[in-house]
Amino acid sequence: MTQPQQPQNGSTLANRAFIQRDYSEGISCQFEKSFPSELRGKIDENTLLETINHINSIFMKAEGLNFQTYLFGCLSCMTAYTSLFCFRTHYEKCLQELARYIIEQNSTIYESRGLKIINPADRGLRVVSFKLPHGVPP
């Protein structure tokens, strides 16, 4: 019998719940709107859905094209991409917005229930993961 995989931070994967990327509408960064069974009884389904919808809306905004992103792309090309040392891209700004949102959600909603959202950027934009309390069966 094999033991659960042990990440470096000391928690097992059994203490996690995951929401996978949704590729049904192409390769844009969106996450499934499914409710993981590990979270039943720990968080309201509507609260989780609101959080996932907001995360998805941040990524829709990040991947959207507008005049500003075209102009910044031209500026980057004209400066041999050295302008990236001085300015953050629109995508980077949206990732910072996502990080602030996750911190705010953790402090106002999830931590009081013993849960913690892990930023999808920390997981290669593959999953939204939730850290569950230790000693609680999945």
Side-chain angles (χ1 to χ4, degrees), residues 110-135:
Y110 292 94
E111 287 176 355
S112 64
R113 293 173 168 93
L115 301 170
K116 182 178 179 185
I117 304 174
I118 307 300
N119 192 335
D122 296 344
R123 301 283 181 253
L125 302 178
R126 294 174 295 127
V127 296
V128 177
S129 60
F130 294 85
K131 189 173 182 181
L132 303 172
H134 291 286

Side-chain angles (χ1 to χ4, degrees), residues 27-81:
I27 60 171
S28 64
C29 190
Q30 298 291 304
F31 295 94
E32 294 177 351
K33 295 175 182 135
S34 60
F35 190 78
S37 61
E38 297 90 353
L39 297 178
R40 294 215 190 282
K42 296 175 182 67
I43 188 89
D44 179 45
E45 192 167 345
N46 290 331
T47 303
L48 180 71
L49 187 59
E50 287 175 19
T51 301
I52 297 301
N53 283 337
H54 191 79
I55 290 172
N56 285 342
S57 72
I58 291 172
F59 280 113
M60 284 178 63
K61 183 172 81 169
E63 294 176 356
L65 297 176
N66 57 31
F67 180 74
Q68 182 182 7
T69 56
Y70 284 119
L71 187 64
F72 189 77
C74 292
L75 174 68
S76 297
C77 286
M78 290 188 300
T79 62
Y81 294 95

Side-chain angles (χ1 to χ4, degrees), residues 58 61-63 89-99:
I58 291 172
K61 183 172 81 169
E63 294 176 356
T89 65
H90 176 68
Y91 199 85
E92 290 171 326
K93 291 176 187 176
C94 289
L95 285 179
Q96 286 181 338
E97 177 187 346
L98 174 66

